[in-house]
Amino acid sequence: MWKSLHIDPAKCTGCLQCEMACSYEHTGVINPSNSLIKVFNFEHEGRKVPYTCTQCTEAWCMHSCPVDAIRLDLTTGAKIVFKDTCVGCKVCTIACPFGTVNYNQASGKVQKCDLCEGDPACAKACPTGAITYIDANWTGLSRMQAWAAKANTPASAA
């Protein structure tokens, strides 16, 4: 069975360990600006929410690519960008309704979460369990909608 990243916004402290681990895993350098997972800061609500590609079932990015540069990894279920095929047209960045496929100016290609070949660095690095790698028995649009509804719930007063 495939697994997917599960994000629990209530557990995120904003430590950015996920961003640092991801950037190191993919570039060999700790540089959060190169991370494929981002921590969004809701300043007025005093909370942080990590977000990245949900590897959605619908895979608008994959279906929109005119050169078939985004393909399904049958082992992990991740939608993988094949950089040797990608022409940098950015159609997939427009097709993704969640904004998790990004253009990399330096390479001239797009990039997105690849689940680190089934061993996500972000989940391993998260000290609070806000990011976990679990069985993907619910994925896609319904998962993102549930996540968004939870993220939009006002923080409780302490």
Side-chain angles (χ1 to χ4, degrees):
M1 172 173 270
W2 289 338
K3 296 177 92 177
S4 63
L5 291 173
H6 175 70
I7 296 173
D8 184 346
K11 293 182 179 178
C12 181
T13 62
C15 70
L16 305 183
Q17 291 293 314
C18 57
E19 289 187 6
M20 290 185 277
C22 178
S23 67
Y24 187 77
E25 176 73 21
H26 288 93
T27 68
V29 176
I30 295 175
N31 183 348
S33 69
N34 292 329
S35 176
L36 304 178
I37 187 167
K38 301 292 181 194
V39 177
F40 190 80
N41 185 8
F42 289 91
E43 289 277 336
H44 300 297
E45 296 174 19
R47 55 187 181 125
K48 318 280 194 233
V49 178
Y51 70 96
T52 191
C53 176
T54 63
Q55 309 299 337
C56 63
T57 304
E58 296 81 5
W60 292 286
C61 63
M62 184 171 73
H63 296 299
S64 70
C65 181
V67 295
D68 194 32
I70 301 175
R71 299 180 209 137
L72 176 65
D73 179 323
L74 294 175
T75 304
T76 65
K79 284 52 172 199
I80 307 291
V81 176
F82 285 78
K83 294 192 185 324
D84 58 334
T85 307
C86 178
V87 295
C89 69
K90 306 179 202 166
V91 171
C92 58
T93 66
I94 297 165
C96 176
F98 310 116
T100 59
V101 181
N102 297 292
Y103 181 75
N104 182 307
Q105 188 72 34
S107 70
K109 312 285 182 174
V110 297
Q111 58 187 17
K112 61 180 285 310
C113 176
D114 59 7
L115 295 177
C116 298
E117 298 178 4
D119 192 21
C122 60
K124 291 190 304 188
C126 182
T128 64
I131 304 168
T132 52
Y133 193 50
I134 61 170
D135 288 340
N137 56 3
W138 63 291
T139 59
L141 183 59
S142 61
R143 178 176 169 212
M144 182 57 86
Q145 288 171 331
W147 175 85
K150 188 173 185 178
N152 284 331
T153 303
S156 60

